[in-house]
Amino acid sequence: MKLMTMLQAYPFDELMPVINEMFPGTKKYKEQLRLGYDLMMGMKPVPSKKSIRYEVMPVPGSDMSYIGAPDSCFTTTWEVCLGKEVSRGKGVTLDDAEIISNCFVNMCLQGRYPKEFEEAHRKLMQDR
């Protein structure tokens, strides 16, 4: 399913608790994240042949692993990200809300955002 379609299925107020659970402390950035969400909802997705695939990924030099998608999936414009197909690999246990929340936060932090998001992005990056 396309990321835009998945994102449209969840109002921001339903995603914010999931975002805060996955990324503790992000509730202090609710205003900036809401702006990002609102901007994304007004965009027209650009179809892309690339996808965002969530996989179980090993932590280098460790026996640990985590579930995620490569950062490179998000280092493009928001319109292109929103037009990408999102999928899960074997063993991925994240539900739709968790996948969407992760995509959304990664887009806000790593994606090429519109000028209207510049100040909000600066605030999001302050504590990183």
Side-chain angles (χ1 to χ4, degrees), residues 2-4 7 23 33 36-37 39-41 43 45 52 54 70-84 86 99-114 117 121 124-125 128:
K2 299 286 183 191
L3 179 55
M4 180 62 135
L7 192 58
F23 305 97
L33 293 172
Y37 179 89
L39 289 169
M40 288 178 199
M41 289 297 98
M43 293 181 166
I52 301 169
Y54 279 80
D71 288 347
S72 61
C73 293
F74 305 100
T75 55
T76 187
T77 65
W78 283 6
E79 293 90 348
V80 170
C81 276
L82 292 169
K84 289 183 178 184
V86 179
I99 295 270
I100 295 161
S101 295
N102 186 272
C103 285
F104 172 71
V105 169
N106 279 312
M107 286 174 63
C108 287
L109 296 177
Q110 301 175 48
R112 285 190 236 134
Y113 49 83
F117 193 68
H121 183 261
L124 288 172
M125 299 304 286
R128 285 193 72 177

